[in-house]
Amino acid sequence: MASVGGFLVSPVGSVRCFTRHRFGVRAQSLEGGGSTVLSSESVNGSSSVVVGTQKNHIGGSLVKEETKVRLLGVEEKKKKGEAEGLAALWDDGYGRRSVEDYFAAAKEICRSDGGPPRWFCPVECGPPLKDSPTLLFLPGMDGTGLGLTLHHQALGKVFEVRCLHVPVHDRTPFEELVKLVGEAVKLEHALFPNKPIYLVGDSFGGSLALAVAAHNPTVDLVLILSNPATSFGQSQLQPLFPILEALPDELHVAVPFVLSFIMGDPVKMASVNIGNRLPPVKKVEQLSHNLTALLPCLPELANVIPRDTLLWKLKLLKSAAAYANSRLHAVKAEVLVLASGKDNLLPSVNEAKRLAGLLSNCKVRVFKDSGHTLLLEDGIGLLTIIRGTCMYRPSRRPDLVRDFIPPSMTEFRYAMDQVVG
């Protein structure tokens, strides 16, 4: 397993590593060798290594030996933490990352030189608790696989998180994507037959998750679908698609700004890292600052979804919706649908009700004030939602005592500020 610049290579599939500034890097060998910790400068090519993975052969350096001892101490604490589980009011990291971080990471990951779709493990997820189930994230139209940016640290405590990245210029048909994810599911099931596999699908990824579940009815799957695109045929934007096809390249730079307001609520996106206990004046100042900082990021959508890619993704959405809808009868997995009440791209609330009537084991949660990009908006803690709907279980059979996860500090503060008052 290897990690570079915030992205960790997963054994599920071949993954390209991407570089980010100001992040330490940890690399590990699959062959069972030692690990190497690199500084951010060494990643960018200007300095060399740090750290005691080799024996102290030359010169008896105390620095290397001391570093090695410290690393062993960290590993011992990590193992002790895994054995003890999470403490009450543990730090889930919510609010430390924002939509700006999503755009910064998307800019880096889209510099790929192409290649097929691949899996990566975000380094900020960290090591999970012992015997944690696997969570595979299936992205929406952007294809970056970074849609869980705000939730990586929390999910990484209790899941082995792996994200699917579809490069900008990749043109893999939907059936091949179903096969790719299906192979990862079968491999995980073969390795850990007594653990459930979680598929978190965002928009397009929701259709993909349902298609994979239909092909694997005997595998213990748990599906978390955020505004699934199975309702693409009823999208309010259908009349605009012919216009997008005829739009000159010179005008495509304006499309990301239009999409940004259609796909999500900018105010809720900019509110992620604003504390609830701030005075109203400070909240307004922070919100104004965040919105001002967010606007320069929007042109990056033109690089994430260039014109040719946008047209391809629209065709892919149409085929994905038709494919998934024709196989809903074969889905035996446990399903949770998260629907936004202000989704301007898809009729998500109506679609959630339709899916609940067609699927044998389906729950629905509606977020009336959220837009299409639900998982990038303020007030949405994915792990809290999974726990609150009693859908977290590390093994095939639920156990209320063994599966209990204590409340995090974010949940405690929300309860005190929003519920108690």
Side-chain angles (χ1 to χ4, degrees), residues 2 13 38 53 65 73 82 95 151 185 196 198 208 221 226 243 292 299 326 339 356 393 408:
L38 309 179
T53 57
E65 202 60 45
E82 288 179 354
H151 312 276
V185 165
Y198 284 72
L208 181 55
L221 294 175
S226 174
I243 298 175
T292 304
S326 66
R393 51 184 177 87
S408 68

Side-chain angles (χ1 to χ4, degrees), residues 5-6 19-25 38-44 97 100-101 104-105 108:
T19 306
R20 279 201 67 183
H21 300 284
R22 302 187 303 278
F23 284 89
V25 176
L38 309 179
S39 66
S40 58
E41 292 79 13
S42 68
V43 176
N44 297 325
R97 299 183 67 79
E100 288 180 65
D101 294 296
E108 294 289 342

Side-chain angles (χ1 to χ4, degrees), residues 51-54 56 61-77:
V51 136
T53 57
Q54 301 177 4
N56 188 15
S61 168
L62 291 174
V63 176
K64 284 187 178 179
E65 202 60 45
E66 182 181 353
T67 306
K68 184 176 180 180
V69 170
R70 286 180 180 176
L71 284 176
L72 289 173
V74 170
E75 292 297 325
E76 286 299 322
K77 287 181 180 179

Side-chain angles (χ1 to χ4, degrees), residues 33 41 59 66 68 70 95-96 100 122 130-131 138 176 242 289 299 308 331 336 365 371 390:
E41 292 79 13
E66 182 181 353
K68 184 176 180 180
R70 286 180 180 176
R96 290 183 188 165
E100 288 180 65
K130 185 179 179 181
D131 297 326
L138 310 178
E176 291 300 317
H289 176 270
D308 292 343
V331 175
L336 171 63
R365 292 295 180 272
C390 301

